[in-house]
């Protein structure tokens, strides 16, 4: 196992390409995207897709700890301009190199 940082971003789907480009420029080349996310944010406002007509996305990515500052530097301006949230946590990656047949 090795330590990695888990990056979770919830943002408007309109900005998805910009966010993924910022992650890629930061050295984070893998990610997963879940579309049509709704919820209630820290501000207490409900982000109900039926009322806003906009869909949100949930982006999850992982990076080496030494890349985190670059990720934050590239993601923060987008979130400040277009809205959204980003959370970073410490986690462990299990590397598997043996194939089971």
């Amino acid at each position: 196992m090795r330590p990695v940082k888990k990056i979770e971003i919830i943002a408007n789907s309109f900005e998805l390409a910009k966010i993924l480009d910022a992650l890629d420029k930061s050295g984070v080349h893998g990610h997963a995207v879940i579309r049509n996310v709704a919820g209630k944010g820290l501000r207490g406002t409900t982000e109900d897709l039926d009322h806003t007509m906009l869909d949100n996305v949930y982006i999850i990515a992982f990076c080496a700890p030494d890349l985190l500052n670059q990720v934050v530097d590239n993601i923060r301006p987008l979130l400040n301009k277009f809205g959204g949230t980003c959370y970073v946590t410490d986690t462990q990656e299990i590397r598997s190199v043996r194939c089971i047949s």
Side-chain angles (χ1 to χ4, degrees):
M1 292 193 320
R2 72 178 182 130
V4 294
K5 298 290 186 178
K6 178 169 65 169
I7 304 160
E8 298 172 276
I9 301 169
I10 301 170
N12 185 285
S13 64
F14 187 72
E15 305 308 325
L16 178 60
K18 291 176 181 145
I19 292 169
L20 296 181
D21 186 51
L23 287 172
D24 196 49
K25 287 179 181 176
S26 303
V28 179
H29 303 296
H31 62 269
V33 176
I34 301 171
R35 298 180 183 277
N36 300 321
V37 175
K40 185 174 180 180
L42 294 175
R43 296 182 189 100
T45 57
T46 302
E47 299 161 359
D48 188 354
L49 300 181
D50 293 336
H51 292 52
T52 63
M53 301 302 285
L54 301 172
D55 64 334
N56 292 320
V57 291
Y58 171 80
I59 304 160
I60 185 170
F62 299 89
C63 72
D66 61 326
L67 292 178
L68 185 60
N69 287 337
Q70 191 170 352
V71 170
V72 171
D73 289 345
N74 289 330
I75 293 295
R76 183 175 292 172
L78 294 172
L79 297 179
N80 284 339
K81 184 174 182 180
F82 302 112
T85 58
C86 179
Y87 299 95
V88 178
T89 54
D90 294 320
T91 191
Q92 297 284 322
E93 177 185 24
I94 299 172
R95 288 234 162 160
S96 177
V97 293
R98 268 188 0 194
C99 296
I100 299 174
S101 50

